[in-house]
């Protein structure tokens, strides 16, 4: 299974892609994070994240998808040419899945990746008029759009975004993954969970080893 790349930048929205990355983790799909210069970035909610690699280290053959979270303040990220040069390398690449949510399609537009594509976003209309980097003729007013290898979504559709990206890269996940539980009927047995015997044996061995070491 190829890896998933996640592009990070200042004030990125971790919440908008957390379902997507959790889905990758559940299906044992390796995630590698990238940022311009390999520099630490702070998320919109204040978490400081050190990326795994700089953008320059990206090896295309190792990855089948690139995920772009939304951005609280997109202008500085758009004006950082390191981000745009990185994205420009995907022009004409119809194989790798490009998945951008909320305001992230602005970066794709500036890099020329939205030409001839249908897409959606969560950007203020006034912002679009002032900074026309996305082709208006491709805009679809809905929560999620798939067009070839491109997946875009409104920021509120983070669950649907995760499911669409997962299915696009071949994960056997239902459309209703992360759909929530409120209002549905459940029985007590639905809240009883069992660990496979081999995993329990591994956990027990780890526990016993740590207890033994701490007693030495």
């Amino acid at each position: 299974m190829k890896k998933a790349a996640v592009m990070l930048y200042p004030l990125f929205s971790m919440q908008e892609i957390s379902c997507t990355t959790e889905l990758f983790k559940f299906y044992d799909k390796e995630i590698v994070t990238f940022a311009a210069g390999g520099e630490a970035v702070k998320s919109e909610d204040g978490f400081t994240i050190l990326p795994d690699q700089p953008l320059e280290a990206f090896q295309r053959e190792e990855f089948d998808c690139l995920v772009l979270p939304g951005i609280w303040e997109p202008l500085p990220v758009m004006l950082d040419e390191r981000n745009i040069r990185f994205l420009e390398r995907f022009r004409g690449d119809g194989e790798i899945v490009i998945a951008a949510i909320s305001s992230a399609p602005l970066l794709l537009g500036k890099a020329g990746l939205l030409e001839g594509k249908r897409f959606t976003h969560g950007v203020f209309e006034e912002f679009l008029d002032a900074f026309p980097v996305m082709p208006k003729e491709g805009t679809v007013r809905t929560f999620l759009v798939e067009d070839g290898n491109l997946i875009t979504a409104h920021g509120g559709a983070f669950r649907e975004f995760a499911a669409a990206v997962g299915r696009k890269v071949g994960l056997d996940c239902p459309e209703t993954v992360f759909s929530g539980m409120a209002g549905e009927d459940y029985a007590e047995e639905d809240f009883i969970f069992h660990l496979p015997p081999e995993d329990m044996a591994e956990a027990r061995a780890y526990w016993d080893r740590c207890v033994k070491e701490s007693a030495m």
Side-chain angles (χ1 to χ4, degrees):
M1 183 186 299
K2 289 193 174 184
K3 305 173 188 176
V6 177
M7 187 177 177
L8 302 179
Y9 20 72
L11 299 184
F12 74 94
S13 175
M14 189 156 50
Q15 179 267 335
E16 290 174 345
I17 63 166
S18 60
C19 285
T20 304
T21 54
E22 180 66 19
L23 196 63
F24 290 158
K25 175 64 177 176
F26 185 81
Y27 284 91
D28 294 321
K29 187 174 184 66
E30 184 177 348
I31 303 167
V32 182
T33 55
F34 293 86
E39 301 161 6
V41 294
K42 185 165 287 190
S43 69
E44 66 178 7
D45 42 2
F47 287 87
T48 300
I49 308 297
L50 183 64
D52 296 311
Q53 297 182 28
L55 295 175
E56 300 77 20
F58 181 87
Q59 298 295 318
R60 169 65 184 86
E61 65 276 6
E62 297 180 8
F63 298 88
D64 61 6
C65 68
L66 172 65
V67 178
L68 286 78
I71 320 159
W72 187 262
E73 294 181 3
L75 280 182
V77 181
M78 291 169 60
L79 292 172
D80 189 333
E81 284 300 318
R82 296 175 297 177
N83 295 321
I84 305 307
R85 285 197 302 269
F86 171 70
L87 292 171
E88 286 175 341
R89 66 187 296 180
F90 300 106
R91 287 181 180 176
D93 186 340
E95 297 299 320
I96 190 169
V97 175
I98 305 290
I101 189 169
S102 188
S103 56
L106 286 166
L107 301 180
L108 301 184
K110 194 168 190 301
L113 300 182
L114 297 181
E115 296 297 330
K117 292 284 190 178
R118 297 168 62 253
F119 60 91
T120 191
H121 56 78
V123 181
F124 293 117
E125 295 299 306
E126 293 78 9
F127 200 94
L128 294 175
D129 292 336
F131 310 102
V133 298
M134 295 190 292
K136 288 188 175 181
E137 61 273 14
T139 303
V140 182
R141 306 296 182 176
T142 187
F143 65 94
L144 184 141
V145 174
E146 292 188 46
D147 187 346
N149 65 317
L150 178 68
I151 300 175
T152 52
H154 179 272
F158 53 89
R159 301 180 189 89
E160 294 83 357
F161 180 74
V165 175
R167 294 197 307 274
K168 197 74 170 178
V169 297
L171 304 184
D172 186 20
C173 61
E175 291 186 18
T176 54
V177 65
F178 301 120
S179 62
M181 304 180 76
E184 299 186 30
D185 293 327
Y186 293 96
E188 277 191 28
E189 53 267 27
D190 293 321
F191 299 95
I192 299 173
F193 311 103
H194 295 283
L195 195 64
E198 60 274 16
D199 291 341
M200 188 63 230
E202 183 179 343
R204 172 58 67 183
Y206 174 77
W207 175 271
D208 291 342
R209 185 170 63 254
C210 291
V211 169
K212 182 178 180 180
E213 292 174 354
S214 65
M216 296 176 64

